[in-house]
Amino acid sequence: MKERIHHLETKCRRLTMAVTAMIVLGIATMCIAASPNHAKEAIQVSKIEIVDTEGNVRIRLGRADDGYGVVVYDKDGKFRATLTDAPRGAGMQLIKDGGSITMLAMNQGSGLTIRDSDGKSRAMMLQQEKGSQLILKDGEGKSTFSVPE
């Protein structure tokens, strides 16, 4: 009987030590996890998307055509604005139902185009090595004013 009690006491001590070790390990783990995070120098991802409350992508940072940039969408998922840099040049485009404005800066020059709601060019301002040009067009696409001609 003494042997049996001694065996049970030994088992109880071992169990108490094991439980105590698990509690200490758990507290140590929580302390390590709760330590303050140090600021990272950089976060690197290939794409970031900002969504609205319904989960629709409203802003995307990442790949855009042949380059990278920021693309903005309306609540229906229609493209509305972009700011991109690509091998052939940098560009910005703003679109609404009444028309659009496109600005491009390229190695060979730069330009600004204003389009109507049908997508037809109505005004263009171009700058190239050979000179600058301003063109105004009517709704049919015919030039109404051009400098130089």
Side-chain angles (χ1 to χ4, degrees):
M1 177 112 155
K2 277 185 173 182
E3 195 177 303
R4 190 171 175 205
I5 291 173
H6 179 68
H7 180 66
L8 287 173
E9 286 175 344
T10 304
K11 252 184 162 176
C12 187
R13 265 189 249 116
R14 287 181 184 160
L15 183 60
T16 302
M17 286 177 27
V19 169
T20 303
M22 288 173 53
I23 290 171
V24 170
L25 184 61
I27 290 172
T29 302
M30 288 190 311
C31 289
I32 291 169
S35 67
N37 291 330
H38 299 287
K40 305 290 183 209
E41 288 187 33
I43 297 172
Q44 294 182 334
V45 296
S46 59
K47 176 172 62 171
I48 294 175
E49 292 182 339
I50 298 174
V51 298
D52 60 18
T53 55
E54 283 96 45
N56 300 315
V57 175
R58 298 298 300 270
I59 300 171
R60 186 181 78 237
L61 286 84
R63 194 122 182 89
D65 297 326
D66 292 334
Y68 288 87
V70 179
V71 182
V72 179
Y73 302 92
D74 68 8
K75 63 182 175 62
D76 298 319
K78 292 181 183 175
F79 159 78
R80 292 300 183 185
T82 187
L83 176 61
T84 58
D85 183 39
R88 294 187 339 187
M92 183 173 88
Q93 188 172 18
L94 306 172
I95 300 172
K96 212 53 175 166
D97 294 331
S100 69
I101 299 170
T102 303
M103 291 188 285
L104 295 173
M106 301 174 286
N107 294 334
Q108 300 80 23
S110 58
L112 171 71
T113 303
I114 299 174
R115 297 178 189 276
D116 63 19
S117 58
D118 294 327
K120 295 178 186 169
S121 297
R122 299 297 295 270
M124 292 180 290
M125 187 168 40
L126 308 169
Q127 173 275 317
Q128 298 174 338
E129 282 186 32
K130 61 182 179 182
S132 298
Q133 187 174 17
L134 174 65
I135 303 167
L136 302 178
K137 295 183 176 187
D138 63 14
E140 305 297 315
K142 295 178 185 171
S143 291
T144 58
F145 179 81
S146 180
V147 176
E149 288 192 37

